[in-house]
Amino acid sequence: MKHHTSPLLLLSVLAVLAISCTGATNKSAKAEAPAPYGPIPTARQLAWHDMQMYAFIHFTTTTYRDVEWGYGDASPDEFNPTHFNPHQWVEILKAAGMKGIVLTAKHHDGFCLWPSALTDYSVANSSWRDGKGDVVGELAKEAAQAGLKFGVYLSPWDRHDLRYGTPDYIDYFRGQLKELLTQYGPIFEVWQDGANGGDGYYGGLCERRTIDNRTYYDWATTDSLIRQLQPMACIFSDGGPDTRWCGNESGSVGDPNWATLNRDKFAPGHANGNSLQHGDVGGTHWVPAEVDVSIRPGWFYHEREDDKVKSVEKLMEIYYTSVGRGSNLILNVPPTKDGVIHPIDSARLIAFGEALKKEFSQPLQAKAVKSWKATNQRKGFAARNVADGDKQTYWATDDDIREATLTMTLRKPVSLYCLRLREPIKLGQRIDNFHVEALTAEGNWETIATGTTIGPQRLLRLPEVEAKALKVTVSSSVACPLLSEVQFFLPPETATE
Ligand code: FUL
Ligand code: CA
């Protein structure tokens, strides 16, 4: 049977498509959405941005040697987490607000936390659980059950394996990746560490090996294998391709922080620190920064650091200088020799999760705003789109605008606490300078916050001030500015009406 499509039906289908493609709550079919500016995030990067904060777990034979870099000579029997409890890890990490977990499936010491068929240096050769244990498998399962995403760290540098430094090792490394990316469900991130080469056990030869990390790993081939096996996995390394290192391990990304980077200038281990911290304005690719930091001074558990677990205040400061600057935060929590999260870390993480909930518990309701005024408003992209709680809808200006102010007059004065701003990054990152003013009881406009970039989110604590009206001014933007959210929060104790 032949199907005939009426021209009228075709026209109305096209009209519906045209409206839905604008990605905004514009009522008029004629409203034209701004064109994307510069590189834009892929679907896998957008999903990654939504996560904002996840945990890192450093755990292997190194945990039992009280060092940070295992030499590669530990016997598999040294790995003996008698109380291994991934359920406890996941419960605590979830309570802390983590959206995923990345595990060191293999760190520099080369010991594999899963029973790899490609080496005898793994849990399969440990007396722990008679060689039947699989840390990767059990954690992946617990994470999935709790609704947390799972990622893997597979150290390119392997201080145990005899093949390290030869082409055979690259086949081995890819074979291991293949095991990890096919046996443990969906993987949201593959972490490629930049630390490479040096002394090690190397099959008992105990020598120093150097490699040229610009050429040795042939990352392009490995990355295409990852794409093929796990298309939604973001690949992290110093310079991407999907997510970049922030250039330090202390818990902050630069300000400004551009998600764009001149990616082709980078090779793992040869990164330009300034670009890692700040990105490159007008950069060629979308490669957002990830901030990696440990809850303790070291990446692995050391009893001597039990009194050095970061405070809730410090963790909150880190949150503001990472997630609050448009980056994702990967917070390392090292399990003890027993295979549990230490009670001090656990209490700190739970308190941090509660503090985060409290921090953003009192949003200024849209109905508290009497009027919205924008110095420029693109047809169909109204200012009040910043207050509808929907990341997809946004306030836009006309194409030739680079500076704009949004004024919100409040029904009655409110005390402020903090602020969240978001750009609709599907259309690229644009804003590079802004400030916020409050109209005080005395009738003066007082500047209460200034900032550079916004990107997927910008968080700012605000001074204690009673505001009758609020102004957000974008003072500089590389293309017409767009904002999908301007959300003020009141002090946590205050109830909103
Ligand atoms: C570094 C490694 O050398 C550390 O041991 C740790 O894994 C950290 C996250 O990355 O490059
Ligand atoms: Ca919105």
Side-chain angles (χ1 to χ4, degrees), residues 105-370:
K106 177 183 89 168
H107 198 251
H108 306 330
D109 68 321
F111 184 73
C112 299
L113 295 187
W114 79 105
S116 170
L118 306 171
T119 179
D120 55 9
Y121 200 49
S122 82
V123 281
N125 260 308
S126 167
S127 41
W128 175 62
R129 293 194 179 167
D130 292 329
K132 304 266 180 323
D134 180 353
V135 178
V136 179
E138 285 200 35
L139 184 58
K141 203 167 121 210
E142 288 290 345
Q145 272 168 10
L148 301 191
K149 294 191 182 182
F150 187 63
V152 289
Y153 168 118
L154 182 71
S155 174
W157 182 26
D158 187 323
R159 301 177 89 190
H160 173 83
D161 200 276
L162 179 64
R163 290 162 289 187
Y164 185 74
T166 72
D168 282 354
Y169 173 77
I170 303 302
D171 292 340
Y172 170 58
F173 180 78
R174 290 187 185 139
Q176 292 194 309
L177 255 185
K178 200 166 172 186
E179 289 181 339
L180 291 170
L181 302 186
T182 53
Q183 296 172 13
Y184 298 106
I187 298 292
F188 83 94
E189 187 168 73
V190 177
W191 228 86
Q192 293 169 352
D193 198 311
N196 276 295
D199 62 339
Y201 178 71
Y202 305 124
L205 295 181
C206 300
E207 59 189 15
R208 187 171 186 80
R209 291 191 181 175
T210 49
I211 49 103
D212 178 354
N213 61 8
R214 285 178 190 274
T215 51
Y216 178 55
Y217 294 105
D218 175 17
W219 285 116
T221 305
T222 301
D223 291 353
S224 59
L225 176 72
I226 299 172
R227 291 285 191 254
Q228 186 198 323
L229 300 174
Q230 292 275 350
M232 284 304 278
C234 275
I235 303 172
F236 167 99
S237 86
D238 284 6
D242 299 314
T243 62
R244 71 174 198 265
W245 185 39
C246 68
N248 67 71
E249 291 175 341
S250 56
S252 67
V253 72
D255 180 12
N257 172 28
W258 291 94
T260 48
L261 186 78
N262 293 322
R263 192 174 71 187
D264 296 340
K265 285 194 326 205
F266 280 77
H270 295 264
N272 164 348
N274 212 36
S275 290
L276 289 178
Q277 284 170 43
H278 297 287
D280 294 316
V281 55
T284 51
H285 293 81
W286 189 271
V287 191
E290 182 180 281
V291 171
D292 61 325
V293 64
S294 185
I295 195 166
R296 290 163 170 255
W299 293 100
F300 286 94
Y301 176 80
H302 309 284
E303 197 179 339
R304 60 190 146 83
E305 292 180 351
D306 282 353
D307 60 350
K308 296 198 173 61
V309 179
K310 290 186 173 63
S311 65
V312 171
E313 292 68 33
K314 181 66 190 169
L315 293 172
M316 188 62 85
E317 181 194 317
I318 288 174
Y319 190 82
Y320 269 87
T321 56
S322 56
V323 176
R325 291 183 183 164
S327 178
N328 276 5
L329 170 61
I330 179 165
L331 179 68
N332 182 64
V333 180
T336 64
K337 294 178 185 178
D338 286 347
V340 294
I341 294 181
H342 191 279
I344 296 178
D345 308 49
S346 151
R348 214 49 63 78
L349 285 161
I350 291 167
F352 176 49
E354 281 163 5
L356 272 178
K357 273 195 206 130
K358 199 168 160 204
E359 187 82 6
F360 306 105
S361 59
Q362 300 295 341
L364 175 72
Q365 305 292 339
K367 62 178 192 255
V369 181
K370 188 158 80 189

Side-chain angles (χ1 to χ4, degrees), residues 390-410:
D390 181 351
K391 271 197 231 172
Q392 309 303 326
T393 60
Y394 54 93
W395 163 48
T397 65
D398 292 323
D399 283 340
D400 55 342
I401 301 294
R402 297 292 177 271
E403 293 177 47
T405 298
L406 180 64
T407 307
M408 303 156 62
T409 306
L410 306 178

Side-chain angles (χ1 to χ4, degrees), residues 396-475:
T397 65
D398 292 323
D399 283 340
D400 55 342
I401 301 294
R402 297 292 177 271
E403 293 177 47
T405 298
L406 180 64
T407 307
M408 303 156 62
T409 306
L410 306 178
R411 290 191 196 281
K412 54 184 199 174
V414 295
S415 307
L416 300 170
Y417 181 67
C418 66
L419 165 68
R420 184 169 65 216
L421 301 168
R422 294 185 197 273
E423 285 182 82
I425 54 170
K426 270 186 183 171
L427 294 173
Q429 190 179 347
R430 297 153 181 256
I431 295 170
D432 72 359
N433 239 302
F434 68 92
H435 61 271
V436 183
E437 293 159 274
L439 183 62
T440 63
E442 296 78 45
N444 304 320
W445 282 105
E446 206 176 283
T447 301
I448 54 169
T450 55
T452 58
T453 48
I454 296 176
Q457 69 267 320
R458 178 82 196 208
L459 301 171
L460 293 156
R461 279 260 180 88
L462 301 172
E464 267 178 48
V465 60
E466 274 234 320
K468 297 201 281 187
L470 293 158
K471 264 194 223 175
V472 176
T473 298
V474 173
S475 43

Side-chain angles (χ1 to χ4, degrees), residues 42-77:
T42 56
R44 78 175 74 88
Q45 288 171 319
L46 282 171
W48 176 89
H49 278 294
D50 280 344
M51 295 181 69
Q52 301 195 346
M53 184 172 76
Y54 34 86
F56 217 167
I57 299 266
H58 275 66
F59 193 40
T60 182
T61 53
T62 307
T63 308
Y64 300 81
R65 291 221 160 172
D66 200 21
V67 292
E68 277 291 308
W69 281 3
Y71 187 70
D73 62 336
S75 151
D77 285 342

Side-chain angles (χ1 to χ4, degrees), residues 385-386 388 390 393 484:
N385 283 345
V386 300
D388 60 1
D390 181 351
T393 60
S484 56

